[in-house]
Amino acid sequence: PAGNVGNASQFFTRIINVIIVDPATPNIVYMATQNGVSRSTDRGLNWTQGAGSLGDARSLVLDTTSAPGARILYAGVTGVGVIRSTDGGANWTTVLNGATPAVSTAVGAGSFSKVVVALAPPTSPPNAAGVQVLYVALSGSGGAPDPVGLFRSTDAGTTWTQRTATGMPGNTQGGYSFHIGVDPASPGDGNKDIIYVGCVGQARSTNSGTSFTGLSGLHADTHAWACVR
C-alpha cells in the first residue's frame, strides 16, 4: 500500500503459501513462503525470517494453546520434512526428515517432496505443554508411494509412527493436489481424531488414520481443507 515504509516488498516476487494472524496478538503475523517462514510483529510492515527455516514451506500451523510469548509452530518444508519453533517463529529445528525411522522405511529407495502437517485440536483439558498430537503426510517421488503415507506423533514431534491408512487416496500430482486437515471437533487424542486427506480424490478417517472412507461428489484435486464449527 502507499506509505508502506517496511520491508514487505521483498515478497513481491515470491510464492506465499500460508499466512496466519496470531489470534492472541493480531499485530503478529506468520508467513510460509518458498524461501522459509517469516514473522512480522507490526501487522505486516516488516518481516524477519526465522533461523533454520530455509526451504519451500508449503504448510504452517500454530498451536493456539501455547503461551503468547512462546508460540509453538510447525511447518512442512518440501524435501526437508517438518520443522518446529517454540519461540514464536524466531528459531526453528527439524523434528521429522528422511532419516526419521518411520519415514525412512516408508520412502525406501525413493524420495519425498511436498510436506503437509496438521495439528490435532487441544484435548480437554488442554495439555500444559501444548498440543501433542500431529499428523503429517508426504508427497512421494522417485519410486516411493504417492503419497508416502500418513505419520502421527503423540509427543509434539519427538517420535513418529506410520499409520495403516487403509483406503487413503493416492496421486498427489507431484504435490499439486495434496493437503490434510483435522476436524476441530475431534478429541485430539491421536486415536479417534477425524482426518481429511485430499489428493486427486478425497477421503475421511474417524480413527486417526487407521483407515479411510472415500468422499464422493467433490471436485477432483485438493488444495486446502477448512472446517467450520
Side-chain angles (χ1 to χ4, degrees):
N4 185 346
V5 295
N7 66 2
S9 59
Q10 65 182 293
F11 300 109
F12 286 178
T13 58
R14 297 183 190 177
I15 296 172
I16 297 172
N17 297 308
V18 185
I19 297 174
I20 297 176
V21 178
D22 194 313
T25 313
N27 281 354
I28 298 178
V29 187
Y30 308 98
M31 182 162 60
T33 78
Q34 68 183 110
N35 297 99
V37 183
S38 296
R39 178 183 66 173
S40 171
T41 59
D42 56 7
R43 297 172 294 169
L45 285 175
N46 293 282
W47 295 85
T48 302
Q49 182 163 334
S53 73
L54 289 174
D56 184 9
R58 296 287 189 92
S59 57
L60 178 67
V61 291
L62 166 65
D63 179 356
T64 56
T65 70
S66 56
R71 285 303 211 189
I72 299 173
L73 300 101
Y74 299 87
V77 182
T78 298
V80 174
V82 177
I83 57 176
R84 176 180 63 196
S85 173
T86 57
D87 58 6
N91 296 279
W92 296 81
T93 57
T94 302
V95 295
L96 176 145
N97 58 21
T100 301
V103 175
S104 177
T105 299
V107 171
S111 58
F112 65 87
S113 51
K114 183 177 178 179
V115 180
V116 287
V117 56
L119 276 176
T123 55
S124 181
N127 190 309
V131 171
Q132 299 296 296
V133 178
L134 294 83
Y135 298 97
V136 171
L138 313 170
S139 176
S141 57
D146 184 39
V148 171
L150 181 69
F151 303 88
R152 180 193 66 184
S153 174
T154 58
D155 52 14
T158 301
T159 58
W160 296 87
T161 57
Q162 184 176 11
R163 306 299 287 159
T164 308
T166 304
M168 183 174 171
N171 187 9
T172 72
Q173 295 184 311
Y176 172 75
S177 305
F178 189 37
H179 211 271
I180 63 174
V182 181
D183 191 322
S186 300
D189 60 0
N191 294 310
K192 297 181 180 179
D193 295 328
I194 300 172
I195 304 172
Y196 294 89
V197 173
C199 298
V200 171
Q202 301 87 12
R204 178 179 65 181
S205 171
T206 58
N207 50 22
S208 292
T210 298
S211 60
F212 284 85
T213 300
L215 300 174
S216 59
L218 301 178
H219 189 279
D221 304 344
T222 307
H223 305 298
W225 289 102
C227 292
V228 180
R229 292 285 180 179

